Amino acid sequence: QTTAQGLIFDMDGTMVDNMMAHHEAWQRKLSSLGMDMELEQVRREIHGVNEEILLRLFGDRFNDEERQYHAQDKEAEYRRVFKEGLQLIDGLSDFLEEAWEAELPMGIGTAELP
């Protein structure tokens, strides 16, 4: 039997269910750029790194600086959307409390943009 010496959690999809917030943020951002997509289409087709998504969808319409701006703007929209419904995945609070009481070191690793 192995005893855990600590726990490292990923944020997205492990601690919080935030994928729909990403999809809604992309839908809003794309609409602001003149590309209207149904939410289901965004869910199916929009995956990856923001700048690469913008390049794939818009080709050379934006230069690197503009793509970076729109990628950061999408992330700001994601934070606005997600903040409204922020909650831990069911059961995680109890699990974290048990780990805390067991004095297990814990950390969070995520690929979130600065």
Side-chain angles (χ1 to χ4, degrees):
Q1 180 177 359
T2 303
T3 303
Q5 296 179 13
L7 302 170
I8 300 174
F9 298 91
D10 179 40
M11 181 70 70
D12 297 345
T14 302
M15 297 186 79
V16 294
D17 185 5
N18 61 343
M19 290 313 299
M20 193 53 73
H22 276 292
H23 301 324
E24 288 178 22
W26 267 118
Q27 184 184 38
R28 293 177 188 184
K29 182 61 191 173
L30 293 174
S31 179
S32 77
L33 296 172
M35 183 178 285
D36 293 321
M37 286 183 146
E38 295 293 326
L39 194 56
E40 180 59 26
Q41 184 181 6
V42 171
R43 190 189 67 73
R44 281 191 323 267
E45 299 177 13
I46 307 299
H47 300 280
V49 177
N50 290 348
E51 287 87 348
E52 293 172 4
I53 292 168
L54 291 163
L55 182 61
R56 188 172 64 243
L57 293 175
F58 294 100
D60 62 359
R61 175 176 165 187
F62 305 115
N63 63 34
D64 290 344
E65 185 177 305
E66 291 168 328
R67 270 192 300 278
Q68 185 175 23
Y69 167 80
H70 290 300
Q72 290 173 352
D73 190 51
K74 179 271 172 183
E75 288 304 306
E77 182 63 24
Y78 158 73
R79 288 188 293 275
R80 283 189 291 275
V81 170
F82 187 59
K83 187 176 182 180
E84 297 169 7
L86 179 60
Q87 62 183 15
L88 294 177
I89 286 182
D90 289 343
L92 181 61
S93 183
D94 292 338
F95 181 82
L96 293 173
E97 184 64 33
E98 289 177 26
W100 178 262
E101 290 172 2
E103 298 182 358
L104 281 172
M106 292 181 274
I108 299 172
T110 186
E112 179 62 33
L113 298 174

